[in-house]
Amino acid sequence: DAGVIQSPRHEVTEMGQEVTLRCKPISGHNSLFWYRQTMMRGLELLIYFNNNVPIDDSGMPEDRFSAKMPNASFSTLKIQPSEPRDSAVYFCASLIPLAGGADTQYFGPGTRLTVL
Amino acid sequence: GEDVEQSLFLSVREGDSSVINCTYTDSSSTYLYWYKQEPGAGLQLLTYIFSNMDMKQDQRLTVLLNKKDKHLSLRIADTQTGDSAIYFCVRTGGGNKLTFGTGTQLKVEL
């Protein structure tokens, strides 16, 4: 398995533009998480899905952010319109089981977003 | 991450042991984890410990858990330059969520 795949790896856009970040989770695992990482705020959970259904979106900053998971193989995080303060690294993660009943989150490489 | 606290920086010499400490406020977590983030990469699971254990050893890594004091530590023996990274203390939150600490940047000097 190729792990969690995110695209693009880097995105530079201008304020006001729409940005779409993509994630292909690890196949066969039912939970997917979107995070944002900045120096100021650290790692923040934005939203997570279970069986393609959004379970907790309390971390989504505002209405400009939306996320979808139309099927088990694909998820998007969209920002419309984007603002400079959205500049961050966005991670997607799959939940996978470990021995002994624990779970772990397997992270993708991230998308570095810069909004000018 | 405000209920999982870590110091921000740690600097050690190559070959020395590193000890990264973490305190947390919520004692209901079933598992506690250490994740590692190398520059420009995502977070990867390093090791984890069940909450009813006191210690777990995995090669150069030793995790100590003091439930009474709500204190978790990660010791890296014979620290190498490749260990330079940010280390996150993480606890299980509600549901499938994880609560991440602020991260400790480990710098290994020659």
Side-chain angles (χ1 to χ4, degrees):
Chain A
D1 200 319
V4 176
I5 299 173
Q6 292 188 246
S7 64
R9 293 294 312 278
H10 302 273
E11 175 84 21
V12 180
T13 190
E14 292 189 344
M15 184 174 66
Q17 297 297 305
E18 177 180 296
V19 174
T20 300
L21 311 181
R22 296 173 175 81
C23 174
K24 183 179 187 306
I26 297 173
S27 62
H29 299 284
N30 300 332
S31 296
L32 180 143
F33 301 77
W34 280 101
Y35 290 89
R36 177 172 69 176
Q37 186 179 36
T38 61
M39 289 289 290
M40 290 293 293
R41 299 173 70 92
L43 195 68
E44 302 173 277
L45 176 65
L46 300 176
I47 185 171
Y48 84 93
F49 295 84
N50 207 26
N51 292 320
N52 312 335
V53 176
I55 301 301
D56 185 345
D57 65 355
S58 59
M60 295 286 262
E62 48 198 271
D63 291 346
R64 298 185 297 107
F65 284 69
S66 61
K68 293 182 180 178
M69 192 165 184
N71 57 63
S73 307
F74 184 65
S75 178
T76 59
L77 178 68
K78 187 175 291 188
I79 309 172
Q80 165 65 11
S82 58
E83 296 182 3
R85 60 192 167 119
D86 301 329
S87 298
V89 182
Y90 291 81
F91 291 103
C92 174
S94 282
L95 187 74
I96 60 174
L98 296 169
D103 296 308
T104 188
Q105 292 184 19
Y106 191 103
F107 281 72
T111 295
R112 181 173 294 275
L113 173 65
T114 302
V115 183
L116 302 174
Chain B
E2 59 272 3
D3 67 332
V4 181
E5 294 192 353
Q6 306 175 234
S7 54
L8 291 180
F9 299 103
L10 176 65
S11 181
V12 300
R13 284 192 180 177
E14 189 177 40
D16 287 351
S17 292
S18 308
V19 180
I20 302 171
N21 293 300
C22 166
T23 57
Y24 56 94
T25 55
D26 189 332
S27 59
S28 66
S29 298
T30 307
Y31 294 94
L32 294 121
Y33 307 80
W34 285 102
Y35 279 73
K36 176 184 180 182
Q37 184 179 27
E38 296 181 355
L43 283 74
Q44 60 180 115
L45 178 67
L46 205 55
T47 186
Y48 66 101
I49 188 167
F50 188 43
S51 59
N52 70 351
M53 295 171 64
D54 298 325
M55 185 182 88
K56 180 178 180 182
Q57 185 140 11
D58 184 0
Q59 299 182 346
R60 291 191 298 122
L61 306 177
T62 303
V63 178
L64 295 177
L65 174 60
N66 182 328
K67 284 190 71 176
K68 175 176 169 290
D69 294 340
K70 298 177 189 172
H71 182 267
L72 183 74
S73 68
L74 173 70
R75 179 177 180 270
I76 306 173
D78 187 25
T79 312
Q80 303 297 307
T81 54
D83 295 324
S84 293
I86 302 175
Y87 291 81
F88 290 89
C89 174
V90 185
R91 66 167 187 85
T92 45
N96 290 327
K97 296 199 295 187
L98 297 178
T99 300
F100 289 80
T102 52
T104 299
Q105 173 117 39
L106 174 63
K107 182 179 177 184
V108 182
E109 298 174 328
L110 296 173

